[in-house]
């Protein structure tokens, strides 16, 4: 069913920069295919859906999960992944992104980009003639949220009607969670300290989409409001890559925002705890919660592989 749905999804050849243009149907289509691929892997079945295809991976930021999951994913799909850092390409010597996109499009069947400014991914997508995938920017982290929603489905059996409480920085994770939750009819509450709010345009977009599905988008400065009765409690590091110099200030500003056992008790008794990793124990999350029975953080990490394989097939596959 997954491969048939992928063929009919209309995603082939498109870019995946964020969830702004996605529908609930596209989300569920890719997640169904991810589940199918996960089961096939568990049965040690070959999945050569991208036989002979190559993914170029441009990295400006350090990575563990993104690099390994995309490389392994392409290998398991019968294709090949190329790791390309700024230092290893002419981009590092001043070649424009527009020229880089047009050249690489002549060689590879898709590009995955992990960088700082979201505008860099948008520029690559503007000039590339192959699908461009956002592997993380300062504004969005959609491949992570794809894996997160796969994990939620596995543990909760549905997406619509659930409540996700996010506690932390209004960063790229908050943005992608807002977009994705509003697509599928999930209530989302974002708790951030004053001055760390998510982008207004992304919140407004999420609220418009949520209204059509009778779901809620709530912004608050009180973590208790976000997690009260929630089905999912989510957090992320307080200082993302490139913000390390703000770490001491953020530890002060985010006081009271640690997800600990006391805070988690405010959620549903069967709530799951989520974190995109890497985690700073004793800052945004306590050791007790991260290693506790409600934590599904390593399921999320594993599902990066399966969800991204499904995305690669949907965007780059021939669906034979």
């Amino acid at each position: 069913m997954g491969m048939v749905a992928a063929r009919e999804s209309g995603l082939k050849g498109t870019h995946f920069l964020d969830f702004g243009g996605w529908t609930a149907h596209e989300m569920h289509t890719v997640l169904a295919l991810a589940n199918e691929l996960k089961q096939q892997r568990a049965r040690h079945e070959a999945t050569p859906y991208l036989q002979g295809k190559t993914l170029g991976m441009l990295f400006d930021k350090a990575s563990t999960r993104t690099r390994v999951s995309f490389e392994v994913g392409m290998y398991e799909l019968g294709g090949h992944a190329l790791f390309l850092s700024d230092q290893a390409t002419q981009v590092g010597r001043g070649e424009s992104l527009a020229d880089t996109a047009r050249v690489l499009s002549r060689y590879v069947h898709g590009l995955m980009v992990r960088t700082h400014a979201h505008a860099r991914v948008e520029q690559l997508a503007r000039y590339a003639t192959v699908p461009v995938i956002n592997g993380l920017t300062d504004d969005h982290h959609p491949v992570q949220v794809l894996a997160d929603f796969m994990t939620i489905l596995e543990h909760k059996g549905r997406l619509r009607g659930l409540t996700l409480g996010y506690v932390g920085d209004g960063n790229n994770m908050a943005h992608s969670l807002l977009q994705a939750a509003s697509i599928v009819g999930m209530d989302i509450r974002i708790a951030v300290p004053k001055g760390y709010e998510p982008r207004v345009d992304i919140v407004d977009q999420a609220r418009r989409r949520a209204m059509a599905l009778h779901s809620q988008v709530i912004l608050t400065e009180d973590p208790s409001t976000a997690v009260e009765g929630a089905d999912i409690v989510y957090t992320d590091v307080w200082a993302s890559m490139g913000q390390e110099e703000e770490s001491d200030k953020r530890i002060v500003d985010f006081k009271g925002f640690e997800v600990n056992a006391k805070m988690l008790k405010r959620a549903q008794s069967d709530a799951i705890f989520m974190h995109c990793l890497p985690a700073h124990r004793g800052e945004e999350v306590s050791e007790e919660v991260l290693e506790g029975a409600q934590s599904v953080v390593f399921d999320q990490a594993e599902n990066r592989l399966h969800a991204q394989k499904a995305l690669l097939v949907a965007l780059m596959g021939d669906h034979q």
Side-chain angles (χ1 to χ4, degrees):
M1 184 180 77
M3 289 304 296
V4 173
R7 181 166 56 245
E8 297 172 350
S9 70
L11 289 172
K12 184 179 179 183
T14 63
H15 302 307
F16 181 57
L17 309 188
D18 59 38
F19 286 109
W22 268 39
T23 64
H25 171 71
E26 287 164 341
M27 174 76 79
H28 284 286
T29 294
V30 173
L31 294 181
L33 178 55
N35 181 61
E36 183 178 320
L37 289 167
K38 185 173 184 175
Q39 291 178 27
Q40 288 177 307
R41 188 179 199 256
R43 295 191 297 264
H44 305 290
E45 293 179 15
T47 52
Y49 304 127
L50 296 182
Q51 188 77 42
K53 300 212 168 173
T54 300
L55 177 72
M57 306 191 305
L58 292 163
F59 281 86
D60 297 336
K61 282 188 172 187
S63 170
T64 298
R65 281 151 290 274
T66 299
R67 178 177 177 179
V68 176
S69 55
F70 271 109
E71 280 200 19
V72 172
M74 280 300 292
Y75 171 78
E76 292 185 355
L77 292 168
H80 180 67
L82 286 171
F83 175 80
L84 303 166
S85 68
D86 255 6
Q87 294 72 31
T89 65
Q90 296 291 350
V91 173
R93 296 182 62 245
E95 183 167 25
S96 73
L97 287 171
D99 289 356
T100 299
R102 287 180 287 188
V103 169
L104 290 179
S105 294
R106 305 288 181 109
Y107 302 142
V108 301
H109 302 89
L111 288 168
M112 189 281 297
V113 189
R114 184 177 172 91
T115 189
H116 296 273
H118 192 70
R120 287 175 65 82
V121 174
E122 291 177 327
Q123 187 175 9
L124 280 164
R126 192 173 304 122
Y127 289 95
T129 54
V130 296
V132 173
I133 297 168
N134 175 7
L136 176 142
T137 64
D138 291 344
D139 285 342
H140 296 278
H141 198 0
V143 289
Q144 175 66 53
V145 171
L146 202 59
D148 295 340
F149 276 36
M150 179 182 181
T151 308
I152 293 168
L153 263 179
E154 288 177 340
H155 286 270
K156 296 295 182 184
R158 63 190 173 103
L159 298 175
R160 187 162 189 165
L162 295 175
T163 299
L164 186 151
Y166 175 90
V167 178
D169 187 19
N171 60 10
N172 50 8
M173 283 307 310
H175 292 157
S176 289
L177 286 167
L178 278 162
Q179 285 189 331
S182 63
I183 289 168
V184 299
M186 183 187 293
D187 290 342
I188 183 166
R189 308 179 195 142
I190 303 280
V192 296
K194 190 171 181 58
Y196 292 93
E197 296 85 359
R199 275 174 36 190
V200 172
D201 60 318
I202 292 174
V203 174
D204 288 346
Q205 177 197 55
R207 282 183 168 148
R208 286 194 302 272
R209 299 185 80 157
M211 193 178 299
L213 296 174
H214 308 290
S215 57
Q216 287 187 314
V217 174
I218 294 171
L219 213 57
T220 177
E221 294 174 18
D222 179 14
S224 298
T225 299
V227 303
E228 192 71 45
D231 301 292
I232 305 122
V233 176
Y234 203 119
T235 192
D236 186 17
V237 294
W238 293 340
S240 298
M241 279 180 287
Q243 299 172 334
E244 288 81 6
E245 73 284 352
E246 301 175 23
S247 184
D248 290 345
K249 180 180 187 300
R250 284 170 176 258
I251 286 172
V252 174
D253 293 347
F254 282 80
K255 187 178 180 188
F257 277 74
E258 180 192 53
V259 178
N260 51 33
K262 182 180 178 183
M263 186 184 293
L264 193 58
K265 278 189 172 65
R266 290 183 170 274
Q268 296 287 349
S269 59
D270 63 346
I272 55 174
F273 170 75
M274 306 187 83
H275 191 306
C276 55
L277 300 180
H280 294 163
R281 293 162 167 83
E283 289 186 16
E284 75 275 3
V285 60
S286 68
E287 176 87 11
E288 182 181 9
V289 168
L290 190 72
E291 298 291 350
Q294 291 170 267
S295 175
V296 298
V297 299
F298 295 106
D299 291 347
Q300 290 173 258
E302 178 190 340
N303 283 339
R304 288 289 301 275
L305 173 64
H306 312 303
Q308 288 164 191
K309 284 169 69 175
L311 180 68
L312 289 165
V313 172
L315 299 183
M316 294 165 51
D318 297 321
H319 313 321
Q320 297 298 320

